[in-house]
Amino acid sequence: MAQTNTQVGLTAAEVQARIQAGQQNEPAPALTRSVKQIFRDNLLTWFNLINLILGGLVFITGSYKNLLFLGVAIVSTGIGIFQEIRSKRQVDKMSLLSEATYRVKRDGQVATMHQDGIVQDDLLLVSRGDQLPVDAVILETAGIEVDESQITGEATAIAKANGDALVSGSFLVSGQAVVQVTAVGHKSFISQLSSEASTATATNSSQLLKTINRIIKVLTIVILPLGAILMISRLMGHSNLNQAILGTVAAMVGMIPEGLVLLTSVSLAVSAMNLARKRVLVRELPSIERLARVDVLCLDKTGTITSGQLKLTQIVPLNGTSVEQLRPLLGGLVRVIGDDNETAQALKNALPDPGWTATRVMPFSSARKWSGAVLPQGNFVMGAPEFMLKRVPADVAKQMTTYAQSGYRVLGVAQTTQLEADDLGEVTLMGLVLIEDELRPNAQTTFQYFKNQDVALKVISGDNPVTVANIAQRAGIDGSERLVDMSQLAAPIDYDELVATYTVFGRVTPTQKKQLVIAWQRAGHTVAMTGDGVNDILALRQADCGIAMAGGSEAAKSIADFVLVNANFDAMLSVLNEGRRVINNIERVASLYLIKTMYSVVLSLIFIFMASGYPFQPIQLTPISTLTVGIPSFFLALEPNYQRITGQFMKQVMVIALPAAICVVTYIMLIFGVGGGELGLSYAQTSTLSVLLTGAVCFVALLMVARPLNRLKIGLVVAMAVCFAVAVLFMGKLFSLVSLFDWQLALYYLPLLVTVYPFFYLVQELLGKRVFAKIKWR
């Protein structure tokens, strides 16, 4: 490694030489799949393979119009690809805005750039909260602490000094430093670690997709053997080869809910695009669904309840000091420590700079909650008095409580005889510093909405619990009077009892935040965690859903499921609603897809033992699949639907799908048993009646799914019904149907059509009372 002048950094010529030598860092990994992956994943599916095989069999028969089912599959897949690419572009634009930037010193100037602009031997200026995208060595620092938990799994902060190595993937817990890049791109530690891993870490997947995939796994086992048996039975029943193939293909096409997985993926992708427009970056599509199921939302005070815009309100001198003494001391102390968080910025803005230098610095740590420095005048620390002092004097504690109840953040400044992370020696409290934080303008409205949606709000903060509770109460958070000071609890802590009792948790360490989240999860809750600092990382990683602010640390953003690009917590309402819209709508329209699957499986089993051919040809299923399922489901899936999640996917599906499937099977057996037997109707006539009655049942199911009805939904159903009527009345030859203008045939189908709705309603009521009421749905 070439030694670089820390005052100048690399020159433009040196940077160019390294780029030409391939010593440039790699860009951040994309959050979305590539266009090639989108095409591959949508085209190379198990059901597409089955469709192609079935299409090949139909092609052999020469009945090319029966290949129309492939057109439906191609169109739906094309829509899915188009929507995913459209969503990808919107999310990519948003991820670029949210991407981490780094301060690099070149030619004596500090420039800001993305990680792919960094080259070998560059000088990076890093500070608390920054995550390293490259390997580096420390050149200049007054002392930093580094968390390497994303590499080692250990959350303990490690102190680093000049000459120590830093690995990519780690982040600074405290302090700031000038570091020189030692390895970039594939040579960095994190890249080598990733390449050695045989498989990528699995992310939490969608519960909805898990349920649907379970259904598909069962169908995968059923479709092929059942189709083969049906084919053999048709041939043994003296059907000709073409008729046997067409009947078998129709049965197997009917069993495939080909659009259901596609519709779910597209709906999630569209939601991600909608959220990107509202300045919310979604890192994983299933996280939209997980947030919709959240029933406990943990809030950090700063940035969520309050705006994070801090200002110094008052300095309260103690033990014989004066404000005139404390102002330069605080101004000098905060500058030599070098922290750049909101509190430090508020103090720098309000206090003078005496131009002091420190011989040693102890940067701020979320665990110990204080920072300090060795100045010519002595050792001084600043932070939470409860953590600096072994025991806060009673009169000072009373003062602090009064200030906290007024909503102030209370810091202390003290002189010490030692300055060690675990030992300050004798501590003399010199004064209190009152910091004020303003409530977010829409905080009350936002939290009231979450309350109305049965989402319990909990506040976890490193600040004084009385201060936090006061602000939470002003924001309208229920139970904010139930507060606990985590710093006063003796080990072992009963976290299960704490989460069941309290709403506001103050003086919480990073490890305690994580344990609180675990306790809520242990109690059966789905937990979301908001945060913006390194002290929130453990809890963000543990939570079912992590939410980070764009202005927070890069380490927090890197592991969060959502990043609020404008740091506007009100945007969480949009996220919650998008998740609920997807889940509710997919649960609702899934029954439309599974009706066809259920009656196709049952009919296949029945017609194995019947002499008559299978009641449908592939072409005859096209108007049913397209007009009662495909088109309306895509419209219904995009409808606003923000009701609470019931968590009963199978019940939602079965309440409509099972009665509909029973009705279809009953009508077809009646048509083939009586019409084909007693009345002597031809196969073409019974098949036509089967299509007509199946379509009618599916339209009744569509009406059930579309409830509550409005003008748009009624218009959608009517439009589809008109198209279906046109198809069966005027395009019968195309769909292998006989004419329905035959008055003798009308004598059969008109009375049957009149009975469809009452029969559906009767079956649904009987199943509801005799079957559904006795099943424990999950």
Side-chain angles (χ1 to χ4, degrees), residues 740-769:
L740 291 174
F741 292 107
D742 182 347
W743 67 269
Q744 289 184 323
L745 199 61
L747 290 177
Y748 302 132
Y749 69 73
L750 288 177
L752 288 175
L753 287 175
V754 172
T755 65
V756 170
Y757 183 82
F759 184 43
F760 188 104
Y761 181 79
L762 177 63
V763 173
Q764 193 176 49
E765 285 294 303
L766 288 174
L767 287 174
K769 292 177 181 177

Side-chain angles (χ1 to χ4, degrees), residues 28 39 146 156 194 224-225 376 512 576 666 686:
F39 270 94
V146 177
T156 305
S194 300
L224 292 180
Q512 288 174 335
L576 179 70
T666 302
T686 55

Side-chain angles (χ1 to χ4, degrees), residues 91-356:
V91 172
D92 285 348
K93 288 179 185 176
M94 189 58 54
S95 61
L96 185 62
L97 291 176
S98 178
E99 191 176 322
T101 56
Y102 300 88
R103 292 179 297 156
V104 182
K105 183 177 285 189
R106 291 177 180 171
D107 284 321
Q109 303 294 320
V110 176
T112 301
M113 61 185 62
H114 294 296
Q115 68 177 51
D116 55 346
I118 300 171
V119 300
Q120 182 82 20
D121 299 324
D122 253 332
L123 297 184
L124 302 185
L125 282 65
V126 293
S127 58
R128 182 175 180 265
D130 286 344
Q131 186 172 30
L132 287 167
V134 292
D135 294 351
V137 63
I138 302 172
L139 297 185
E140 293 181 2
T141 184
I144 61 172
E145 291 178 313
V146 177
D147 187 323
E148 297 179 346
S149 60
Q150 300 206 71
I151 308 299
T152 65
E154 296 294 331
T156 305
I158 303 169
K160 298 280 188 176
N162 290 340
D164 287 344
L166 300 174
V167 295
S168 48
S170 58
F171 57 87
L172 271 67
V173 175
S174 64
Q176 54 188 352
V178 177
V179 302
Q180 184 172 7
V181 177
T182 57
V184 296
H186 66 277
K187 294 183 179 180
S188 67
F189 177 82
I190 193 71
S191 295
Q192 292 178 355
L193 190 67
S194 300
S195 63
E196 290 172 8
S198 56
T199 56
T201 303
T203 56
N204 292 327
S205 60
S206 159
Q207 290 186 35
L208 198 59
L209 283 173
K210 278 183 180 178
T211 304
I212 292 171
N213 284 330
R214 279 200 296 267
I215 296 171
I216 289 172
K217 282 181 181 178
V218 173
L219 289 175
T220 302
I221 297 171
V222 168
I223 286 175
L224 292 180
L226 189 57
I229 294 171
L230 181 63
M231 179 79 170
I232 293 169
S233 71
R234 295 301 89 209
L235 293 174
M236 292 178 64
H238 307 294
S239 295
N240 63 57
L241 179 61
N242 286 355
Q243 188 178 1
I245 288 176
L246 293 177
T248 302
V249 169
M252 295 180 71
V253 168
M255 294 180 209
I256 301 173
E258 53 195 354
L260 188 53
V261 175
L262 175 67
L263 184 64
T264 305
S265 300
V266 168
S267 296
L268 288 170
V270 170
S271 289
M273 180 180 66
N274 292 339
L275 290 172
R277 288 173 177 163
K278 296 178 181 179
R279 319 295 283 178
V280 178
L281 178 61
V282 182
R283 292 191 172 275
E284 293 178 352
L285 291 184
S287 61
I288 298 174
E289 180 189 340
R290 291 200 300 275
L291 184 65
R293 300 182 188 277
V294 161
D295 57 359
V296 171
L297 176 58
C298 300
L299 308 168
D300 187 14
K301 178 178 70 67
T302 305
T304 52
I305 305 177
T306 60
S307 65
Q309 299 297 318
L310 307 182
K311 64 177 181 180
L312 173 63
T313 301
Q314 186 181 352
I315 297 174
V316 182
L318 298 173
N319 297 321
T321 59
S322 65
V323 174
E324 288 71 23
Q325 290 175 290
L326 291 176
R327 283 179 62 82
L329 174 61
L330 285 166
L333 187 61
V334 73
R335 286 176 172 86
V336 297
I337 291 172
D339 284 333
D340 57 357
N341 54 41
E342 291 82 2
T343 302
Q345 288 298 329
L347 294 176
K348 290 176 184 177
N349 292 337
L351 297 171
D353 181 4
W356 294 346

Side-chain angles (χ1 to χ4, degrees), residues 11-48:
T11 65
E14 289 171 331
V15 170
Q16 192 59 37
R18 283 160 175 76
I19 292 175
Q20 292 176 350
Q23 296 179 326
Q24 185 173 11
N25 199 37
E26 297 171 345
L31 297 181
T32 56
R33 295 183 294 173
S34 67
V35 172
K36 181 179 178 181
Q37 288 174 317
I38 290 173
F39 270 94
R40 182 195 65 198
D41 294 346
N42 279 276
L43 292 173
L44 303 181
T45 66
W46 171 245
F47 283 143
N48 280 349

